[in-house]
Amino acid sequence: MPYDEDMGNLKMLANRKLRSVLGLFVAGVSLAAFAQSPGTKAPSVSVAPVGPITVTRGKSGEVTIHFRVAPGFHINSNTPKSEFLIPTTLKLEAPTDIAISKVTYPDGKDMTFPFAPDEPLNVYTGDFDVSLMVRPLHSVMPSKYAIHGNLKYQACDNAACYPPKTVPVDFQVKILKGAEGSAPNPAQSPHAHR
């Protein structure tokens, strides 16, 4: 029965290799997780609830969204100083016939950190606001519409940077019909009739 013995040895060898590979994989994942989370708190950015916005059809309305970076962390500004840094960006999806425009980010603050003492970074810390304009076209039916999106950011502490994350942003826009214009009737003569 040499065949059965050979098969048993092959299975035992395969099991050892599988355990070695799994051990290396688990060690690698643990090391990667440790490298990405040097701090004890996970970095986060929170968004304050945005109340309903009321806008008249055909006109623009401003929306200001308030964000907060957790203490001990900073995030890259919308215009970081290096092309290798991930900018903070707000992406929103609006229903058809509602335009989102003029997204305005605050100026970042230049700061240096122990991991790059000679290279100031342009960052947001604490509270910051992003504003934008919402403009419903004349064709939009008066009603309430949901706007959804997210803020993408990369957070860092004084020792390391974390993988990019997103925080959801949602708010409602109430569209009003607005006053109808009183255009002259082209069939009517401008002269007075008696």
Side-chain angles (χ1 to χ4, degrees):
M1 297 201 188
Y3 177 76
D4 287 339
E5 238 177 78
D6 288 342
M7 287 304 290
N9 287 339
L10 282 175
K11 284 182 182 176
M12 194 166 60
L13 184 61
N15 282 338
R16 272 192 218 148
K17 285 191 177 190
L18 181 61
R19 279 195 297 265
S20 292
V21 169
L22 284 175
L24 287 172
F25 176 74
V26 170
V29 168
S30 299
L31 191 58
F34 178 76
Q36 291 179 356
S37 56
T40 54
K41 282 192 332 187
S44 66
V45 172
S46 57
V47 59
V50 181
I53 310 302
T54 302
V55 184
T56 303
R57 281 194 307 194
K59 299 193 179 205
S60 294
E62 184 175 22
V63 179
T64 300
I65 304 172
H66 307 284
F67 295 97
R68 175 171 288 165
V69 180
F73 296 97
H74 61 272
I75 63 174
N76 296 323
S77 73
N78 177 252
T79 54
K81 292 187 172 195
S82 168
E83 64 185 81
F84 301 109
L85 298 175
I86 296 170
T88 296
T89 54
L90 178 65
K91 300 285 184 195
L92 295 171
E93 295 177 17
T96 304
D97 295 341
I98 298 178
I100 303 289
S101 64
K102 295 184 183 174
V103 178
T104 306
Y105 299 88
D107 293 333
K109 184 177 179 181
D110 287 344
M111 297 178 73
T112 56
F113 299 94
F115 59 83
D118 298 330
E119 189 177 331
L121 302 179
N122 193 257
V123 299
Y124 301 141
T125 59
D127 296 341
F128 69 97
D129 296 339
V130 176
S131 63
L132 56 106
M133 299 303 285
V134 174
R135 185 175 183 274
L137 303 182
H138 291 284
S139 57
V140 174
M141 294 298 297
S143 186
K144 287 184 181 175
Y145 295 89
I147 309 289
H148 302 287
N150 61 57
L151 182 82
K152 182 179 180 182
Y153 66 93
Q154 182 173 27
C156 303
D157 58 20
N158 284 338
C161 290
Y162 296 79
K165 292 178 80 174
T166 59
V167 60
V169 175
D170 299 291
F171 60 92
Q172 282 196 340
V173 176
K174 181 179 180 183
I175 309 291
L176 302 178
K177 186 175 183 179
E180 296 294 326
S182 56
N185 183 349
Q188 185 177 10
S189 168
H191 303 289
H193 296 282
R194 290 185 193 222

